Amino acid sequence: MEMLGPRVWSSVRQGLNRGLSRNVGGWASGEGRKVDIAGIYPAVTTPFTATAEVDYGKLEENLHKLGNIPFRGFLVQGSNGEFPFLASNERLEVVSCARQAMPKDKLLLAGSGCESTQATVEMTVSMAQVGADAALVVTPSYYRGRMSSAALIHHYTKVADHSPIPVVLYSVPANTGLDLPVDAVVTLSQHPNIVGIKDSGGDVTRIGLMVHKTRRQDFQVLAGSAGFLLASYAVGAVGGVCALANVLGAQVCQLERLCLTGQWEDAQKLQLRLIEPNTAVYQCRIPQALLTGPDSQVTRRFGIPGLKKTMEWFGYYGGPCRAPLQELSPAEEEALRLAFTNNGWL
């Protein structure tokens, strides 16, 4: 078993002393209702030093700066947090650090997904003990050929049954090669401790279908990207977990406000200016229309290295990624910069 750092042990003790008062009932926000997760969340990156150690000080600095923006909360250890590259103790240390650094009134979503159900349950319980308010659980995908609806329903049900905090489903087919089937989402929406889904596939028809088919449940859909945030709100999503919010957080929150107040013309103008930079920093299924021209092959490769480079331009700490992710080439960096300057952000 891996040794946990002192920060984690301190948070574990605090969690145990609290008795983990958030229970399996879905962290109810009212009589019989699940917790409200509506709003915008930046998908926080994990900072590393030049020697590839997690830089907890820089994580705290970034969260302090992001804390001035009207986010609903923060997501750590999602895809942009490079969680597959972190040891279990590091994943918990990041959650603990984030909980202590961020404003107390913000929700902390933590990515607790692992490949096995047992490991996911253990990680979810541990993340709850160090301060996570809800667990974002990605689809297991290594054996994706056997990840039927029945297998995924069984997996998520077991995790939700044992989790002391609410569970948010996470479908990110660009990374897993697997869409969480809509029929499985509908079944899982009935579980009292499953409060919603983050869908990063970019298929607005699918998002609308999930909203429609779960309308009788207290179930919430979050868009997984700022690139289709307006469209998601239009079909009934309640918020978004967005990589772009790490650098254009105020603008993403402004888009949310415009959608919620019905100012669709202004919302459209802002959304259009966010699509190209979002595409540059977000690892997703990019529409073919955006993959034409000489930059088409570099644009879809920016991902987390591109996001971290952009963070440095906007006054945050980006830093290196962990290997095997590599930093951008000069040509890629120039193409990335153009995606922001062409839309008036730099």
Side-chain angles (χ1 to χ4, degrees):
M1 181 176 178
E2 293 172 288
M3 295 296 292
L4 301 181
R7 187 199 309 269
V8 172
W9 277 120
S10 174
S11 294
V12 168
R13 285 194 295 270
Q14 292 172 21
L16 292 174
N17 290 336
R18 287 195 307 267
L20 291 173
S21 58
R22 295 161 302 202
N23 58 28
V24 177
W27 204 45
S29 57
E31 190 64 35
R33 289 189 59 80
K34 298 176 182 177
V35 63
D36 180 9
I37 58 171
I40 302 298
Y41 304 77
V44 176
T45 59
T46 300
F48 296 104
T49 66
T51 55
E53 299 298 320
V54 178
D55 194 328
Y56 298 102
K58 294 299 184 184
L59 176 60
E60 292 175 357
E61 288 180 16
N62 284 344
L63 287 170
H64 286 153
K65 292 177 182 178
L66 291 168
N68 295 317
I69 300 171
F71 295 126
R72 179 70 175 93
F74 301 90
L75 167 67
V76 297
Q77 293 301 288
S79 299
N80 286 294
E82 297 177 65
F83 77 89
F85 298 166
L86 270 63
S88 295
N89 64 310
E90 290 176 318
R91 292 178 70 178
L92 294 175
E93 193 92 38
V94 166
V95 175
S96 174
C97 176
R99 178 73 275 171
Q100 295 176 52
M102 59 188 270
K104 302 305 180 187
D105 62 334
K106 306 291 187 183
L107 286 181
L108 177 58
L109 309 186
S112 65
C114 303
E115 281 299 309
S116 78
T117 303
Q118 179 178 337
T120 303
V121 167
E122 293 174 357
M123 181 61 72
T124 302
V125 170
S126 295
M127 285 188 170
Q129 291 172 343
V130 296
D133 293 313
L136 184 78
V137 181
V138 70
T139 50
S141 60
Y142 189 82
Y143 299 109
R144 67 178 58 84
R146 295 295 297 171
M147 290 299 103
S148 62
S149 288
L152 291 167
I153 289 170
H154 180 269
H155 173 74
Y156 280 109
T157 299
K158 289 295 185 184
V159 173
D161 283 347
H162 290 87
S163 175
I165 53 177
V167 169
V168 179
L169 312 175
Y170 183 22
S171 183
V172 56
N175 290 347
T176 64
L178 178 69
D179 262 320
L180 184 54
V182 172
D183 67 295
V185 174
V186 173
T187 298
L188 291 166
S189 71
Q190 300 170 50
H191 194 290
N193 202 33
I194 295 178
V195 298
I197 183 172
K198 176 195 175 190
D199 192 291
S200 298
D203 183 343
V204 177
T205 302
R206 170 184 155 89
I207 290 175
L209 187 61
M210 286 189 293
V211 170
H212 180 61
K213 285 186 172 290
T214 63
R215 66 192 182 280
R216 292 186 177 89
Q217 307 300 326
D218 189 6
F219 187 79
Q220 300 153 86
V221 178
L222 298 173
S225 168
F228 48 88
L229 188 59
L230 181 153
S232 298
Y233 271 115
V235 296
V238 301
V241 181
C242 308
L244 192 64
N246 284 285
V247 292
L248 295 177
Q251 291 82 357
V252 176
C253 288
Q254 181 186 2
L255 179 56
E256 174 199 26
R257 288 193 299 274
L258 292 171
C259 291
L260 292 177
T261 55
Q263 300 179 67
W264 295 108
E265 185 174 346
D266 289 340
Q268 181 192 46
K269 292 176 182 177
L270 179 54
Q271 176 69 90
L272 292 174
R273 293 178 61 209
L274 295 175
I275 291 175
E276 190 176 7
N278 181 79
T279 301
V281 300
Y282 180 59
Q283 188 68 33
C284 62
R285 291 173 174 170
I286 297 172
Q288 191 61 39
L290 295 177
L291 293 178
T292 57
D295 293 332
S296 63
Q297 294 305 307
V298 298
T299 301
R300 52 181 160 179
R301 289 203 302 267
F302 293 157
I304 302 170
L307 175 58
K308 287 188 167 182
K309 175 57 66 175
T310 307
M311 289 174 67
E312 295 174 1
W313 299 338
F314 284 85
Y316 299 93
Y317 179 81
C321 295
R322 263 195 180 162
L325 289 178
Q326 299 290 296
E327 65 181 25
L328 300 184
S329 69
E332 289 174 324
E333 185 174 333
E334 178 59 26
L336 174 63
R337 183 178 288 275
L338 283 174
F340 283 83
T341 57
N342 288 345
N343 290 278
W345 301 123
L346 281 175

